[in-house]
Amino acid sequence: MIMKIKYTISLIPLLICGFLSGCKNNEPKYIVPNYIVKTLQPYYKMQSEIDDPTLLPEIPVKGLNDASIIEEAGVKLATLNNVFYDKENQPRDLPLDKQIMSSLGTNQIIMFQGHGDFSEIYRSCISTGKEYDYEKAKTDDEYRKDKEEGRLVPLNDFYSDEYITSKYIEKYCGDLSGSIIYLGQCLSASEYWVEEEGKEVSKIDETLVNAFLAKGARTVLAQTRQSQMRYGNVMQFAIMSQLSQINPKTNKLYTISESLEKARNTYGQDDPGSHGVTMIFGDKNFSLL
């Protein structure tokens, strides 16, 4: 009920504006979308229990931890009239299964926190948050087919997390038009090296990112290397929550590029351990206007 009331109130000025301006000309008017925030945290409890005073940077909101700081970004985003965030859209300690991944949709602000990896076969991929079930792969036709066709896979033959690949996104995710996606997992846009003309050349794997963009996502943020947990979490909070704030230089809401720049200036240009960076793909001028 609260969400419906907020939705109605947020549309009133837009409708009034549309009617009044429509009297002057017939040009189409841009209507600000309403966004739903989703925070997907299959390792929530594990992240929240980490208590290491030596980890830097410090969490910028007193009383929060490495898990709750991601949800706090959602809370701050929802201070905007056209952004909504509730318990239904903040699953904790639930694996990224087909039900969750197929629930991703249009005009959403989707923040992943968890683990990722890179494979020469599957490229950048996302851990679902649970172990791969080798026995199920022998008895369940759909599970086995997902493995055989490279959608839901282990990264070795003995013990592994269960990983979502770009092919899983292609098959099971729906229309993501207008959405912004933050892939907080390590190696979600992995840097890798190839030999060209006798020299080692650095490349960025955009396989996973492009799967989301092909589904209509407007903007995707991803990580090039292994990320120290604290730096990655604080950067995700800073970048995403800043989208709800006014940039004093422009007098408009921060764009995603402006927010990334501000976060880097505050917490460091790259990860202090791996020197990996957060990259923006798609629309670098995304804002919540």
Side-chain angles (χ1 to χ4, degrees):
M1 181 60 71
I2 293 174
M3 180 178 289
K4 291 181 179 178
I5 293 172
K6 187 177 180 184
Y7 175 83
T8 303
I9 292 172
S10 67
L11 282 180
I12 289 173
L14 295 173
L15 292 172
I16 293 173
C17 178
F19 285 130
L20 293 179
S21 59
C23 297
K24 298 180 180 180
N25 57 64
N26 293 321
E27 294 180 3
K29 300 300 177 183
Y30 176 73
I31 296 179
V32 178
N34 286 279
Y35 293 94
I36 300 293
V37 178
K38 285 181 175 286
T39 50
L40 306 179
Q41 298 174 277
Y43 297 96
Y44 188 94
K45 184 178 180 181
M46 182 185 300
Q47 293 270 343
S48 66
E49 291 178 344
I50 293 174
D51 184 17
D52 185 346
T54 67
L55 287 178
L56 294 174
E58 293 183 358
I59 292 177
V61 182
K62 187 176 181 180
L64 298 185
N65 56 49
D66 283 282
S68 59
I69 194 66
I70 305 302
E71 292 178 334
E72 180 66 12
V75 170
K76 289 188 177 297
L77 287 166
T79 60
L80 296 175
N81 285 336
N82 64 318
V83 179
F84 308 95
Y85 183 49
D86 57 24
K87 292 289 184 182
E88 181 181 348
N89 290 301
Q90 46 184 265
R92 297 176 175 180
D93 293 316
L94 295 180
L96 303 177
D97 59 13
K98 196 176 299 181
Q99 180 178 355
I100 286 180
M101 296 303 292
S102 64
S103 74
L104 307 185
T106 60
N107 293 332
Q108 292 182 349
I109 303 168
I110 304 163
M111 291 185 280
F112 287 89
Q113 181 193 47
H115 300 305
D117 212 326
F118 176 81
S119 158
E120 290 188 3
I121 298 173
Y122 303 115
R123 317 305 288 176
S124 294
C125 48
I126 300 170
S127 170
T128 66
K130 66 179 183 178
E131 296 176 14
Y132 187 80
D133 192 334
Y134 295 89
E135 289 301 315
K136 185 177 180 179
K138 298 176 183 178
T139 59
D140 186 292
D141 289 340
E142 184 178 33
Y143 199 74
R144 180 174 63 251
K145 190 173 183 180
D146 276 340
K147 179 180 183 295
E148 290 173 349
E149 297 184 2
R151 291 188 287 268
L152 191 65
V153 300
L155 296 189
N156 61 57
D157 295 329
F158 304 102
Y159 171 82
S160 173
D161 279 358
E162 191 181 71
Y163 284 92
I164 289 170
T165 71
S166 60
K167 292 182 178 180
Y168 190 96
I169 305 303
E170 292 167 3
K171 184 172 178 65
Y172 295 121
C173 279
D175 182 10
L176 300 175
S177 295
S179 292
I180 179 171
I181 298 170
Y182 194 110
L183 298 175
Q185 295 90 348
C186 298
L187 305 169
S188 45
S190 181
E191 182 181 24
Y192 65 101
W193 298 82
V194 296
E195 185 174 320
E196 292 183 358
E197 299 179 353
K199 297 181 180 180
E200 289 287 311
V201 178
S202 171
K203 302 282 188 179
I204 297 296
D205 176 50
E206 300 181 24
T207 308
L208 185 62
V209 166
N210 284 339
F212 286 105
L213 292 174
K215 286 290 183 175
R218 185 172 163 188
T219 303
V220 179
L221 292 92
Q223 318 306 312
T224 62
R225 295 185 182 181
Q226 297 284 350
S227 178
Q228 289 189 6
M229 180 198 69
R230 174 59 56 77
Y231 176 82
N233 293 338
V234 168
M235 283 290 286
Q236 183 169 178
F237 165 79
I239 293 167
M240 298 306 287
S241 63
Q242 194 69 36
L243 294 176
S244 68
Q245 304 299 311
I246 297 292
N247 184 342
K249 295 180 181 179
T250 64
N251 205 31
K252 297 179 180 179
L253 290 176
Y254 278 89
T255 67
I256 192 63
S257 293
E258 292 166 350
S259 189
L260 174 59
E261 180 182 11
K262 182 175 175 63
R264 284 177 173 169
N265 289 339
T266 303
Y267 297 109
Q269 295 296 310
D270 58 22
D271 185 280
S274 68
H275 299 293
V277 297
T278 301
M279 294 185 67
I280 302 173
F281 302 85
D283 184 0
K284 294 179 173 58
N285 293 314
F286 176 93
S287 75
L288 293 172
L289 293 174

